[in-house]
Amino acid sequence: MADHAGRDRRDDDDRRPSRGNPPLSRSRRALLLHLWRRRRRYRRRRIGRLPQSTRPARDDHVGVAAGALRRARIRCGQGDRFQGEARGRRRPDQRRVLRRRSFGTRSGRWPRHRLGSRPARAARARRRADGISAPGFLAADGYTARQTLSRRIVEIGRRPVEALVTGWRGRRVLVTGHTGFKGSWLSLWLHALGAEVTGFALPPPTEPSLFAAARIDALIEHHEGDIRDLTAVRAVVEASRPEVIFHLAAQPLVRLSYQEPVETYATNVMGTVHLLEAARRAPGVRAIVCVTSDKCYDNREWVWPYRESDPMGGHDPYSSSKGCAELVAAAYRSSFFAEGPALATARAGNVIGGGDWATDRLLPDLIRAFEAGTAPLIRSPDSVRPWQHVLEALSGYLLLAGRLLAGEPRFAEGWNFGPSDEDARPVSWIVERMRAAWGDSAAAIPDTGPRRHEAGLLRLDSAKARAALGWQPMLRLEEAVAWIAEWHKAVGSGEDARAISLGQIADYAARRAVSVREPTGRASAC
């Protein structure tokens, strides 16, 4: 070893002759020899050299690497080790390639994280490193690729969706606003499930109406009344003794709210107060679902969908009144229903479906124009809305009510039931798809007349309902438009509106392949 004592010395920069290293003592040489043998004893495997590659264009000033990269030796010690560095003497422009690896506990008194440089040697046969359990980390070691994500919704709750969505046989249910478009569909669905349904609402708001066409008054206990009349609301709650209440009674039109703001606030805000006040004084009420709107949020018209924790607001009287209804429900929940009925609110998107003849709504306006053979007037063709079939929203309401009936108080809060992001489409897209489904060749005419403010962009984030409730939309928007055209064509040709509606409910339930849990654990199909 003394013969090689000066192998690494170099001439000094001032060109003076270099001085040799002092000779090693016998004890020093013995110690170095011992360390050299010990290092060979604990030598680890090494992989072969990595192929050299040229540097990228940004490093043209340094050229290729001086040597192949290899894995550094592992010296005995405890804890984590670092491996890998460039071969030979490193210049300032050369970087070490470090990779942290974890080994099992080993005995040894030498320091950890020792890094050194030694000439590369021939690669040995591969063997598994100590402390790493089989299989290895790479595919060559038998490590399987990551499994594909499940396309099914994994429920956080205690029971799957199949045990929660339809089947309320014998359950007493009160539906406010049952003569409207959405309330009529809900009443039909609940009756088909065997529920004892009581309805409270004003006469049907349109002529024709789904309520009259499907003869829903012959299926349920029908009460006409005004939600703004507290005495009438109390009377129907006391008479029907409901276990579940779906509150849908509302003034639902944005443009009408500009013309009649007082009626809008009286119906949507004070009507909610009247219903909750009557429910908190009625024994036997276990669950309440107040239906508001996706427009209850303070819409800033940005690209991100709104979550349940976003602030309430509203530019127009209708949107503002729905935000107020949410605040009323939250106040009653914390003030009066902590020990009483479980109260939740539901916010759906722009609901569409067969049997909607309301004014100032896109799909009913299109159908009326197609039936009359005229070109429809379209306002705000570039506005984006979260369109969804009415049965999508109603399935969320039923699922949420089932959770509340099961005595799970954590579900007594606000919930979004919106479509997938792909189905948030502009108005012009709906017009073209509806024309294709109807078979009409007339072009739509943009409405250039004066109009009030309407939101240009609105989306809902339903991730919470997907994860906690197991709810997810089942119909794509193209299918929903086709179902609407099919419904109105069939009714227009003389077929029974009730039979067609029940048939679509059955088809939707079969597609979802779920049923609402019976109170006793029984289940019934739609």
Side-chain angles (χ1 to χ4, degrees):
M1 296 184 65
D3 296 337
H4 299 279
R7 63 176 182 178
D8 292 329
R9 68 176 184 267
R10 55 186 294 182
D11 291 341
D12 296 334
D13 294 337
D14 57 2
R15 299 185 181 277
R16 290 179 298 176
S18 58
R19 293 170 294 180
N21 292 332
L24 297 176
S25 64
R26 178 175 300 178
S27 59
R28 180 70 172 175
R29 286 198 302 269
L31 177 60
L32 292 177
L33 182 60
H34 169 73
L35 295 179
W36 179 76
R37 291 174 176 172
R38 183 183 182 92
R39 185 166 49 191
R40 289 181 58 87
R41 185 184 312 161
Y42 293 103
R43 178 179 300 164
R44 296 287 180 184
R45 64 181 175 86
R46 294 190 300 272
I47 62 174
R49 297 184 181 182
L50 299 177
Q52 297 186 12
S53 59
T54 57
R55 295 180 180 271
R58 62 178 181 273
D59 295 333
D60 288 342
H61 62 288
V62 294
V64 299
L69 299 180
R70 66 176 181 83
R71 182 176 297 174
R73 289 192 176 192
I74 300 299
R75 292 166 174 78
C76 61
Q78 297 180 359
D80 299 333
R81 297 300 178 93
F82 292 89
Q83 296 193 73
E85 62 181 6
R87 176 190 175 189
R89 190 185 305 275
R90 295 183 301 277
R91 297 196 302 269
D93 61 311
Q94 293 178 324
R95 302 292 197 277
R96 292 183 178 181
V97 179
L98 303 179
R99 182 166 63 88
R100 185 182 181 89
R101 297 190 63 180
S102 177
F103 292 90
T105 303
R106 293 180 57 87
S107 61
R109 63 176 184 267
W110 298 104
R112 297 189 303 172
H113 311 316
R114 293 175 61 96
L115 294 173
S117 174
R118 292 180 60 86
R121 300 184 182 181
R124 295 186 178 182
R126 297 187 61 182
R127 59 186 179 89
R128 207 175 304 279
D130 293 344
I132 301 180
S133 58
F137 292 132
L138 303 179
D141 300 309
Y143 186 81
T144 58
R146 182 176 62 181
Q147 296 179 355
T148 57
L149 296 178
S150 173
R151 297 184 180 273
R152 300 177 60 190
I153 294 297
V154 179
E155 184 187 17
I156 296 177
R158 293 180 299 178
R159 294 189 298 270
V161 170
E162 288 78 1
L164 290 174
V165 177
T166 63
W168 294 24
R169 191 171 305 280
R171 182 77 73 181
R172 297 187 304 275
V173 181
L174 172 63
V175 179
T176 67
H178 68 290
T179 58
F181 162 62
K182 193 186 295 186
S184 296
W185 277 98
L186 179 59
S187 299
L188 272 176
W189 198 343
L190 286 169
H191 178 268
L193 302 174
E196 299 177 4
V197 183
T198 299
F200 177 79
L202 294 171
T206 62
E207 177 60 39
S209 68
L210 176 59
F211 179 81
R215 308 179 306 282
I216 297 177
D217 57 342
L219 303 177
I220 68 173
E221 186 177 345
H222 170 59
H223 294 270
E224 287 191 2
D226 195 334
I227 197 69
R228 294 171 293 181
D229 185 350
L230 177 59
T231 303
V233 175
R234 283 178 173 172
V236 73
V237 172
E238 292 175 0
S240 60
R241 298 181 297 108
E243 300 171 77
V244 187
I245 299 177
F246 291 95
H247 177 46
L248 282 74
Q251 193 292 98
L253 302 176
V254 174
R255 297 184 72 181
L256 182 60
S257 71
Y258 283 110
Q259 303 171 15
E260 301 177 356
V262 175
E263 178 184 351
T264 299
Y265 283 106
T267 302
N268 296 350
V269 182
M270 291 308 301
T272 302
V273 173
H274 294 164
L275 186 278
L276 297 180
E277 184 65 19
R280 81 181 183 95
R281 299 179 182 277
V285 178
R286 298 177 53 191
I288 306 173
V289 177
C290 287
V291 177
T292 59
S293 171
D294 58 337
K295 298 176 179 63
C296 66
Y297 294 106
D298 182 15
N299 188 5
R300 302 182 183 181
E301 301 197 30
W302 52 24
V303 297
W304 298 283
Y306 290 93
R307 297 176 294 181
E308 289 85 349
S309 58
D310 287 328
M312 301 292 104
H315 184 280
D316 54 87
Y318 169 77
S319 303
S320 173
S321 68
K322 288 299 185 178
C324 291
E326 286 281 349
L327 298 179
V328 167
Y332 264 80
R333 183 188 301 119
S334 59
S335 301
F336 305 115
F337 293 156
E339 301 296 335
L343 170 61
T345 58
R347 308 152 190 173
N350 277 40
V351 173
I352 57 177
D356 187 5
W357 282 282
T359 58
D360 284 332
R361 279 184 177 165
L362 178 61
L363 270 299
D365 289 345
L366 291 176
I367 292 171
R368 278 189 288 265
F370 294 157
E371 291 176 340
T374 60
L377 291 176
I378 304 301
R379 65 178 190 273
S380 305
D382 298 326
S383 296
V384 177
R385 297 287 186 271
W387 311 96
Q388 64 184 148
H389 195 273
V390 61
L391 296 179
E392 300 275 38
L394 296 182
S395 66
Y397 304 164
L398 291 172
L399 177 60
L400 178 58
R403 288 294 201 181
L404 299 178
L405 285 171
E408 302 183 51
R410 66 190 181 95
F411 293 97
E413 52 188 15
W415 296 86
N416 287 344
F417 296 101
S420 60
D421 293 340
E422 295 79 8
D423 288 338
R425 299 284 188 171
V427 170
S428 58
W429 189 95
I430 294 290
V431 173
E432 293 302 320
R433 295 305 187 278
M434 191 62 189
R435 287 178 55 204
W438 194 271
D440 191 271
S441 58
I445 301 176
D447 187 357
T448 58
R451 57 177 181 267
R452 298 279 191 171
H453 171 272
E454 290 186 84
L457 180 61
L458 180 60
R459 289 188 175 94
L460 285 180
D461 185 348
S462 304
K464 175 181 168 184
R466 294 170 186 257
L469 289 172
W471 177 90
Q472 62 176 334
M474 300 300 297
L475 287 176
R476 294 303 306 271
L477 188 53
E478 294 89 343
E479 296 176 287
V481 171
W483 280 27
I484 296 171
E486 177 186 344
W487 194 98
H488 281 275
K489 285 183 177 181
V491 172
S493 63
E495 297 187 34
D496 183 45
R498 181 196 294 178
I500 298 171
S501 301
L502 291 175
Q504 289 193 347
I505 291 174
D507 291 343
Y508 179 84
R511 177 172 300 199
R512 184 173 284 278
V514 291
S515 61
V516 175
R517 177 181 292 274
E518 294 275 3
T520 60
R522 297 167 296 173
S524 64
C526 291

